[in-house]
Amino acid sequence: MKKLFLGVILLATILGTYSCSNEDISDTESLYQHQANDDGATNGGDPDEPDGN
């Protein structure tokens, strides 16, 4: 019973760290870098818009 419990805990840990996202970490990091380095006075908006609004 103890081995079964440890197996379930191990499986839950492995599944909890698995990501289903197709997005690369570099894409997410570049988005955060873009938002952190934004010198404009606007907040939010669509980052794909040329004027940033």
Side-chain angles (χ1 to χ4, degrees):
M1 188 67 168
K2 189 175 185 180
K3 289 182 182 181
L4 179 64
F5 179 71
L6 291 175
V8 169
I9 294 296
L10 180 63
L11 182 64
T13 303
I14 290 171
L15 291 177
T17 59
Y18 181 75
S19 176
C20 297
S21 170
N22 291 344
E23 197 171 284
D24 290 333
I25 294 173
S26 61
D27 293 339
T28 305
E29 185 65 29
S30 67
L31 175 63
Y32 290 138
Q33 256 332 60
H34 174 73
Q35 290 176 349
N37 293 334
D38 189 17
D39 292 333
T42 62
N43 290 330
D46 187 2
D48 295 330
E49 289 186 15
D51 62 355
N53 289 333

